[in-house]
Amino acid sequence: GEDVEQSLFLSVREGDSSVINCTYTDSSSTYLYWYKQEPGAGLQLLTYIFSNMDMKQDQRLTVLLNKKDKHLSLRIADTQTGDSAIYFCAETYSGGSNYKLTFGKGTLLTVNP
Amino acid sequence: NAGVTQTPKFQVLKTGQSMTLQCAQDMNHEYMSWYRQDPGMGLRLIHYSVGAGITDQGEVPNGYNVSRSTTEDFPLRLLSAAPSQTSVYFCASSPLGVSYGYTFGSGTRLTVV
């Protein structure tokens, strides 16, 4: 079966870079996603990466994918207090269809002024 | 374009009561799903649907029913509420055949006393 794991907490200082890590077990995953959840809100899609890519950059966000180690990371440059949220990693499960996502438990990012 | 709309936002039930959580989307998405979010447990899939008239169970279906009579609506019914069903419930939708991730509703916070 599929599984996605993340560390539960990360604390950084404002202006520093944040790196949130995720590991997954399904070597056949086709798409991997990062979602952001602010307090009291639903999940918002931040970015996604196809499994045939190694890196994707979008403004302050950089996603790195190491397929050999089944490791996905999200780097947030110049982290701001507004980045404080829970970040979820998710993958599609190739044993099902590409609409079924498996989520990690989420990493709570705290940005200290 | 409202996206995914969930009602109500908050609800308190007594043990044994029944209720329906509503979810509607206006994006013509075939896939719709219900998740519950509990501290330390991440998102757990309750039920999902790949189109009108088609539903299936997820990871934690017990105590919940769903139906999908239209593409737009996917209500979640609690048959006899229990304190273990105290949670935040999220509805999510996406097209089939593409993997750009889900669109989430803003959630329903349910407390069963």
Side-chain angles (χ1 to χ4, degrees), chain A residues 21-105:
Chain A
N21 295 301
C22 170
T23 58
Y24 57 96
T25 57
D26 185 359
S27 59
S28 305
S29 292
T30 52
Y31 301 88
L32 297 122
Y33 307 84
W34 284 105
Y35 283 84
K36 176 183 181 182
Q37 184 184 30
E38 296 180 351
L43 278 70
Q44 171 194 359
L45 180 65
L46 280 181
T47 186
Y48 63 90
I49 187 168
F50 298 152
S51 60
N52 62 357
M53 298 169 65
D54 297 324
M55 185 182 85
K56 182 178 181 181
Q57 188 153 4
D58 184 2
Q59 300 182 338
R60 292 190 299 121
L61 305 179
T62 302
V63 178
L64 294 177
L65 176 60
N66 181 329
K67 290 182 284 293
K68 174 176 172 292
D69 295 336
K70 299 177 196 169
H71 182 265
L72 182 73
S73 67
L74 174 69
R75 179 178 180 268
I76 306 173
D78 186 25
T79 312
Q80 303 298 307
T81 54
D83 295 321
S84 293
I86 302 175
Y87 290 82
F88 290 91
C89 170
E91 64 165 356
T92 53
Y93 173 46
S94 65
S97 299
N98 59 10
Y99 49 81
K100 292 190 73 175
L101 267 63
T102 300
F103 290 86
K105 289 184 168 48

Side-chain angles (χ1 to χ4, degrees), chain B residues 6-7 9 18 29 40 48-49 57 62 69 75 78 97 109:
Chain B
Q6 289 185 239
T7 56
K9 291 191 181 304
S18 62
H29 286 171
Y48 67 96
S49 168
Q57 296 181 349
N62 292 340
S69 56
L78 279 71
R109 184 173 294 274

Side-chain angles (χ1 to χ4, degrees), chain A residues 10-21:
Chain A
L10 177 65
S11 181
V12 301
R13 291 173 61 171
E14 190 174 16
D16 288 350
S17 291
S18 306
V19 179
I20 303 170
N21 295 301

Side-chain angles (χ1 to χ4, degrees), chain B residues 47-82:
Chain B
H47 286 285
Y48 67 96
S49 168
V50 298
I54 306 169
T55 63
D56 207 346
Q57 296 181 349
E59 183 185 355
V60 288
N62 292 340
Y64 307 95
N65 273 359
V66 292
S67 60
R68 185 92 180 271
S69 56
T70 66
T71 299
E72 295 79 18
D73 299 297
F74 191 44
L76 178 72
R77 297 183 187 84
L78 279 71
L79 308 172
S80 177

